[in-house]
């Protein structure tokens, strides 16, 4: 198991430092409600709900909001919600996977397609991108959770697949600095629970899309890419955005603003 991985900068940030927190809470609430609807409304009996609740707590979401989101699953409002995945390419051929939760499929498709078209990209058919990606588990701990060696040892004992530690400085991605632990899709809950006993609760735990390779991008194309990312982030129906760009720190500083 390597201590670092070349797949460092692959997860799109949830937002910039000035992102509206209520928007994040809204997305977390919807995930809790859908998770509760998909199984038992008890986190102890529903792994997906347990992950959603833990992630909400990690973002300091109030307990009342969490309980309200769970109770909402028993109402009829959530019945109309659909989980949809869109795949496409952005500036420079950067691949995108966009996960949407919506009560209006036509609106979501139109808005996502428009965002791509406006910012130098295009939507593709289902499977046109994800055949080159892996569906895996991701656990993130902040830097203060432990040293690289301590986190590595805990991850190995828990049965994780890989660990990345970036403790030097934050970048434009939400997870830095800190430790990212990768697991097989089916092992996420088991690994997360085992690591929690050693390192405490993680900052976030999720099933994510991870690309098998990255696309180098530089210059003004980075600015266009950021505009596309921000346009997708601004859509209420969009839950998660994944992209596989490889951009230097200097270009993020110059064109990512």
């Amino acid at each position: 198991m390597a201590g670092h991985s070349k797949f460092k900068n692959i997860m799109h940030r949830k937002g910039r430092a000035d992102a509206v927190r209520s928007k994040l809470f809204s997305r977390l609430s919807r995930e809790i409600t859908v998770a509760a609807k998909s199984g038992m409304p008890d986190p102890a009996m529903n792994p997906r709900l347990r992950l959603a609740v833990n992630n909400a707590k990690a973002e300091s979401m109030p307990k009342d909001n969490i309980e309200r989101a769970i109770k909402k699953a028993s109402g009829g409002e959530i019945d109309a919600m659909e989980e949809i995945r869109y795949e496409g390419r952005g500036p420079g051929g950067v691949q995108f996977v966009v996960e949407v939760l919506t009560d209006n499929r036509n609106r979501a498709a139109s808005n996502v397609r428009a965002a791509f078209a406006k910012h130098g990209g295009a939507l593709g058919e289902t499977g046109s991108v994800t055949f080159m990606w892996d569906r895996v588990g991701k656990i993130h701990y902040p830097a203060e959770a432990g040293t690289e060696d301590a986190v590595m040892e805990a991850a190995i004992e828990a049965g994780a697949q890989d660990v990345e530690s970036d403790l030097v400085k934050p970048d434009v991605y939400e997870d830095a600095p800190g430790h990212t632990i990768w697991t097989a899709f089916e092992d996420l809950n088991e690994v997360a629970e085992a690591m929690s006993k050693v390192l405490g609760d993680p900052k976030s735990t999720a099933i994510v899309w991870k690309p098998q390779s990255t696309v180098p991008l530089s210059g003004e194309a980075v600015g266009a890419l950021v505009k596309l990312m921000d346009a997708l982030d601004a859509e209420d129906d969009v839950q998660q955005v994944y992209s596989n760009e490889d951009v230097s720190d200097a270009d993020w500083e110059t064109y990512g603003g």
Side-chain angles (χ1 to χ4, degrees):
M1 182 186 296
H4 296 271
S5 167
K6 64 181 178 180
F7 299 116
K8 173 187 170 187
N9 290 340
I10 62 172
M11 288 286 294
H12 179 48
R13 66 210 185 285
K14 285 193 178 75
R16 297 170 189 260
D18 60 351
V20 180
R21 195 158 186 77
S22 61
K23 172 126 186 176
L24 174 59
F25 282 180
S26 175
R27 290 179 178 178
L28 290 168
S29 292
R30 280 188 288 176
E31 173 57 27
I32 289 172
T33 302
V34 171
K37 186 72 175 180
S38 69
M40 297 288 290
D42 180 0
M45 304 294 291
N46 183 334
R48 179 177 176 181
L49 178 58
R50 185 161 62 249
L51 290 180
V53 169
N54 288 343
N55 289 339
K57 289 180 178 178
E59 295 293 347
S60 301
M61 184 181 227
K63 183 179 179 181
D64 288 348
N65 292 37
I66 295 174
E67 292 178 349
R68 188 159 53 246
I70 293 175
K71 290 179 180 177
K72 191 175 179 181
S74 62
E77 180 181 342
I78 195 65
D79 291 342
M81 301 295 282
E82 288 186 88
E83 293 178 278
I84 307 170
R85 184 181 77 241
Y86 297 103
E87 303 175 29
R89 285 177 168 78
V94 170
Q95 299 169 5
F96 276 80
V97 180
V98 182
E99 293 182 335
V100 163
L101 181 61
T102 183
D103 59 357
N104 188 321
R105 174 184 285 263
N106 291 335
R107 178 191 67 218
S110 176
N111 290 350
V112 170
R113 184 177 294 106
F116 274 91
K118 184 176 180 180
H119 300 291
L123 281 184
E125 298 293 327
T126 299
S128 62
V129 166
T130 50
F131 80 96
M132 294 181 286
W133 294 53
D134 298 316
R135 193 70 164 146
V136 297
K138 180 187 179 190
I139 304 166
H140 183 73
Y141 277 94
E144 57 268 24
T147 64
E148 291 187 51
D149 288 343
V151 174
M152 176 70 71
E153 182 177 350
I156 291 173
E157 288 296 321
Q161 290 185 334
D162 196 10
V163 179
E164 300 170 11
S165 293
D166 183 0
L167 310 181
V168 179
K169 64 178 181 62
D171 57 25
V172 296
Y173 293 86
E174 70 192 84
D175 287 342
H179 311 276
T180 299
I181 297 90
W182 300 102
T183 79
F185 177 92
E186 64 274 11
D187 295 339
L188 176 61
N189 282 292
E190 182 178 340
V191 173
E193 290 176 4
M195 294 195 68
S196 294
K197 295 176 182 177
V198 179
L199 301 177
D201 292 335
K203 175 67 174 177
S204 64
T205 308
I207 295 294
V208 303
W209 288 100
K210 182 180 180 182
Q212 297 165 7
S213 62
T214 56
V215 175
L217 199 68
S218 61
E220 294 183 359
V222 176
L225 179 75
V226 170
K227 289 179 180 178
L228 172 55
M229 290 173 164
D230 288 344
L232 292 170
D233 270 341
E235 291 298 326
D236 289 337
D237 291 329
V238 172
Q239 288 288 100
Q240 296 292 343
V241 178
Y242 306 95
S243 54
N244 73 333
E245 71 283 347
D246 181 7
V247 177
S248 70
D249 290 343
D251 274 350
W252 279 125
E253 286 292 327
T254 303
Y255 301 101

PDB file of all heavy atoms in Angstrom, residues 8 15 24 32 43 53 69 92 133 210 240:
ATOM      1  N   LYS A   8      -4.199  12.524  -6.582  1.00  0.00           N
ATOM      2  CA  LYS A   8      -4.338  13.447  -5.464  1.00  0.00           C
ATOM      3  C   LYS A   8      -5.465  14.434  -5.691  1.00  0.00           C
ATOM      4  O   LYS A   8      -6.329  14.603  -4.841  1.00  0.00           O
ATOM      5  CB  LYS A   8      -3.018  14.189  -5.236  1.00  0.00           C
ATOM      6  CG  LYS A   8      -3.085  15.301  -4.204  1.00  0.00           C
ATOM      7  CD  LYS A   8      -1.783  16.070  -4.196  1.00  0.00           C
ATOM      8  CE  LYS A   8      -1.918  17.328  -3.362  1.00  0.00           C
ATOM      9  NZ  LYS A   8      -0.742  18.187  -3.456  1.00  0.00           N
ATOM     10  N   GLY A  15     -17.213  23.538  -2.662  1.00  0.00           N
ATOM     11  CA  GLY A  15     -17.384  24.958  -2.917  1.00  0.00           C
ATOM     12  C   GLY A  15     -16.149  25.709  -2.469  1.00  0.00           C
ATOM     13  O   GLY A  15     -15.272  25.155  -1.839  1.00  0.00           O
ATOM     14  N   LEU A  24     -24.772  23.695   1.539  1.00  0.00           N
ATOM     15  CA  LEU A  24     -24.182  22.425   1.933  1.00  0.00           C
ATOM     16  C   LEU A  24     -25.139  21.661   2.828  1.00  0.00           C
ATOM     17  O   LEU A  24     -25.352  20.461   2.652  1.00  0.00           O
ATOM     18  CB  LEU A  24     -22.859  22.665   2.666  1.00  0.00           C
ATOM     19  CG  LEU A  24     -22.188  21.425   3.266  1.00  0.00           C
ATOM     20  CD1 LEU A  24     -21.897  20.388   2.189  1.00  0.00           C
ATOM     21  CD2 LEU A  24     -20.915  21.825   4.001  1.00  0.00           C
ATOM     22  N   ILE A  32     -29.606  12.572   3.530  1.00  0.00           N
ATOM     23  CA  ILE A  32     -30.136  11.884   4.720  1.00  0.00           C
ATOM     24  C   ILE A  32     -31.546  11.382   4.446  1.00  0.00           C
ATOM     25  O   ILE A  32     -31.889  10.227   4.752  1.00  0.00           O
ATOM     26  CB  ILE A  32     -30.126  12.836   5.938  1.00  0.00           C
ATOM     27  CG1 ILE A  32     -28.693  13.091   6.397  1.00  0.00           C
ATOM     28  CG2 ILE A  32     -30.946  12.241   7.086  1.00  0.00           C
ATOM     29  CD1 ILE A  32     -28.581  14.162   7.464  1.00  0.00           C
ATOM     30  N   PRO A  43     -30.155   4.844  11.758  1.00  0.00           N
ATOM     31  CA  PRO A  43     -28.784   4.776  11.254  1.00  0.00           C
ATOM     32  C   PRO A  43     -28.064   3.482  11.626  1.00  0.00           C
ATOM     33  O   PRO A  43     -27.224   3.001  10.861  1.00  0.00           O
ATOM     34  CB  PRO A  43     -28.108   5.985  11.903  1.00  0.00           C
ATOM     35  CG  PRO A  43     -29.216   6.952  12.148  1.00  0.00           C
ATOM     36  CD  PRO A  43     -30.406   6.091  12.499  1.00  0.00           C
ATOM     37  N   VAL A  53     -25.582  10.639   8.020  1.00  0.00           N
ATOM     38  CA  VAL A  53     -25.684  11.322   9.313  1.00  0.00           C
ATOM     39  C   VAL A  53     -24.296  11.692   9.835  1.00  0.00           C
ATOM     40  O   VAL A  53     -24.081  12.801  10.336  1.00  0.00           O
ATOM     41  CB  VAL A  53     -26.428  10.437  10.332  1.00  0.00           C
ATOM     42  CG1 VAL A  53     -26.293  11.013  11.749  1.00  0.00           C
ATOM     43  CG2 VAL A  53     -27.899  10.316   9.964  1.00  0.00           C
ATOM     44  N   ALA A  69     -34.679  15.803   8.759  1.00  0.00           N
ATOM     45  CA  ALA A  69     -34.429  15.192   7.451  1.00  0.00           C
ATOM     46  C   ALA A  69     -34.807  13.713   7.454  1.00  0.00           C
ATOM     47  O   ALA A  69     -35.328  13.191   6.462  1.00  0.00           O
ATOM     48  CB  ALA A  69     -32.960  15.353   7.084  1.00  0.00           C
ATOM     49  N   GLY A  92     -10.573  20.962 -22.410  1.00  0.00           N
ATOM     50  CA  GLY A  92      -9.382  20.130 -22.469  1.00  0.00           C
ATOM     51  C   GLY A  92      -9.637  18.637 -22.386  1.00  0.00           C
ATOM     52  O   GLY A  92      -8.706  17.854 -22.238  1.00  0.00           O
ATOM     53  N   TRP A 133     -13.568   4.886 -14.795  1.00  0.00           N
ATOM     54  CA  TRP A 133     -13.528   5.269 -13.385  1.00  0.00           C
ATOM     55  C   TRP A 133     -13.861   4.057 -12.524  1.00  0.00           C
ATOM     56  O   TRP A 133     -14.425   3.075 -13.007  1.00  0.00           O
ATOM     57  CB  TRP A 133     -14.538   6.386 -13.090  1.00  0.00           C
ATOM     58  CG  TRP A 133     -14.247   7.699 -13.739  1.00  0.00           C
ATOM     59  CD1 TRP A 133     -14.010   7.942 -15.067  1.00  0.00           C
ATOM     60  CD2 TRP A 133     -14.178   8.969 -13.088  1.00  0.00           C
ATOM     61  NE1 TRP A 133     -13.798   9.274 -15.283  1.00  0.00           N
ATOM     62  CE2 TRP A 133     -13.901   9.938 -14.087  1.00  0.00           C
ATOM     63  CE3 TRP A 133     -14.329   9.384 -11.773  1.00  0.00           C
ATOM     64  CZ2 TRP A 133     -13.769  11.288 -13.791  1.00  0.00           C
ATOM     65  CZ3 TRP A 133     -14.204  10.734 -11.476  1.00  0.00           C
ATOM     66  CH2 TRP A 133     -13.928  11.668 -12.474  1.00  0.00           C
ATOM     67  N   LYS A 210     -13.817   7.465  -8.682  1.00  0.00           N
ATOM     68  CA  LYS A 210     -12.384   7.760  -8.748  1.00  0.00           C
ATOM     69  C   LYS A 210     -11.865   7.387 -10.134  1.00  0.00           C
ATOM     70  O   LYS A 210     -11.999   6.246 -10.568  1.00  0.00           O
ATOM     71  CB  LYS A 210     -11.629   6.963  -7.683  1.00  0.00           C
ATOM     72  CG  LYS A 210     -10.133   7.236  -7.646  1.00  0.00           C
ATOM     73  CD  LYS A 210      -9.469   6.402  -6.556  1.00  0.00           C
ATOM     74  CE  LYS A 210      -7.974   6.667  -6.515  1.00  0.00           C
ATOM     75  NZ  LYS A 210      -7.293   5.847  -5.499  1.00  0.00           N
ATOM     76  N   GLN A 240     -23.200  15.965  -6.162  1.00  0.00           N
ATOM     77  CA  GLN A 240     -21.752  15.789  -6.183  1.00  0.00           C
ATOM     78  C   GLN A 240     -21.221  15.963  -7.605  1.00  0.00           C
ATOM     79  O   GLN A 240     -21.899  15.589  -8.568  1.00  0.00           O
ATOM     80  CB  GLN A 240     -21.353  14.396  -5.681  1.00  0.00           C
ATOM     81  CG  GLN A 240     -21.710  14.117  -4.229  1.00  0.00           C
ATOM     82  CD  GLN A 240     -20.899  14.946  -3.240  1.00  0.00           C
ATOM     83  OE1 GLN A 240     -19.856  15.501  -3.586  1.00  0.00           O
ATOM     84  NE2 GLN A 240     -21.378  15.038  -2.016  1.00  0.00           N
TER      85      GLN A 240
END
